[in-house]
C-alpha cells in the first residue's frame, strides 16, 4: 500500500479478500484502523453472475446446474464450488469479526447500487467521513445498458457506463433449482442480517431487483 499523507484516503479494491481466510489478520497487522467496504447482493444472483463471468472466458464450461448441484433430484448443493461458497456471507464475516469490530464495516447493497446509486454513494461518503460530493446529479439511467451510468466522469465531458463485463445478461436457470438455492442460502442470509443489523431483502423471488 502506498503511504497515505494527511488529508488523503488510500483505497484498495480486491473482491476476493472478503473470502480469503488470511486477509483479516494481514490487514489488521497492516493497520487496525482500516475501514472495510463490502458490496453484497443476493447470493443466488451473485452465483449466477459469477458463473456468467467465468462462462464468458471459458465457453466450454459445464452448465450452471451441473456445477451448483451434486445431485439435482435431491437438490444437494455443491458448496465446494466457489460461486456457491462466496455467497455464504455470514461465514466469511465471522472470520473478519475476529479482527475488526462491526463499526469498521460498511455493507453496500448491490441491488441498491443499481436502483439508487446516489443513495448508496451517500452512505459510502458518510462512512469515509467525506463531504457528500457525489449525488443524484452525477447519475442517469442508460436504457441501452440497463444500468445507471455517470453523466460526466472526472476528466471527461462524455457520459460513461461501466464496461461490457459488467451487467451481462444471465442465462435462464430452472426455477425449481433457483428456489432450492434460495432455500439453501436463507439461514445464512438471516444470520448475515442479524450480524450486520441490516435486512438486505433477499428473501423472495418476486421483485426484479432481488430476483434471478
Ligand atoms: N452501474 C452499473 N453498471 C453495470 N453493472 C453494475 C452497475 N451497478 C452495479 N452493477 C453490477 O455489477 C456487477 C459486476 O460487478 P462485480 O462485482 O462482478 O465486479 S468485480 O468483477 O467483482 O469487480 C454486475 O453484475 P452482472 O449483472 O452479473 O454482470 C452488475 O449487476
Amino acid at each position: 500500500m502506498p503511504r497515505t499523507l494527511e488529508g488523503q484516503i488510500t483505497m484498495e479494491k480486491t473482491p476476493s479478500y472478503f473470502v480469503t481466510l488470511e486477509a483479516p489478520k494481514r490487514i489488521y497487522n497492516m493497520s487496525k484502523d482500516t475501514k472495510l467496504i463490502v458490496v453484497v447482493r443476493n447470493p443466488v444472483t451473485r452465483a449466477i453472475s459469477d458463473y456468467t463471468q467465468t462462462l464468458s472466458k471459458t465457453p466450454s464450461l459445464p452448465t450452471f446446474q451441473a456445477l451448483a448441484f451434486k445431485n439435482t433430484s435431491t437438490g444437494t448443493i455443491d458448496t465446494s464450488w466457489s460461486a456457491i461458497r462466496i455467497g455464504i456471507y455470514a461465514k466469511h464475516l465471522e472470520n473478519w469479526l475476529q479482527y475488526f469490530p462491526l463499526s469498521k464495516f460498511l455493507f453496500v447493497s448491490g441491488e441498491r447500487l443499481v436502483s439508487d446509486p446516489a443513495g448508496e454513494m451517500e452512505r459510502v461518503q458518510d462512512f469515509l467521513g467525506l463531504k457528500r460530493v457525489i449525488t443524484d446529479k452525477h447519475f442517469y439511467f442508460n436504457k441501452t445498458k440497463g444500468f445507471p451510468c455517470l453523466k460526466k466522469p472526472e476528466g471527461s465531458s462524455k457520459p460513461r457506463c461501466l464496461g461490457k463485463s459488467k451487467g451481462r445478461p444471465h442465462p435462464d436457470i430452472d426455477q425449481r433449482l433457483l428456489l432450492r438455492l434460495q432455500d439453501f442460502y436463507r439461514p445464512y442470509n438471516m444470520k448475515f442480517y442479524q450480524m450486520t443489523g441490516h435486512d438486505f431483502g433477499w428473501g423472495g423471488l418476486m421483485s426484479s431487483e432481488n430476483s434471478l
Side-chain angles (χ1 to χ4, degrees), residues 99-120:
Y99 291 90
F100 291 95
L102 199 62
S103 58
K104 290 283 177 207
F105 287 87
L106 179 73
F107 297 95
V108 171
S109 156
E111 284 83 12
R112 287 187 59 81
L113 206 50
V114 176
S115 64
D116 179 18
E120 284 306 282

Side-chain angles (χ1 to χ4, degrees), residues 13 15 41 49 53 114 145 147-148 162 165-168 170:
K13 175 216 168 216
R41 74 197 283 194
S49 172
Q53 189 163 336
V114 176
K145 176 86 181 162
F147 283 93
L162 290 180
S165 66
K166 312 281 175 203
R168 291 191 188 93
H170 291 176

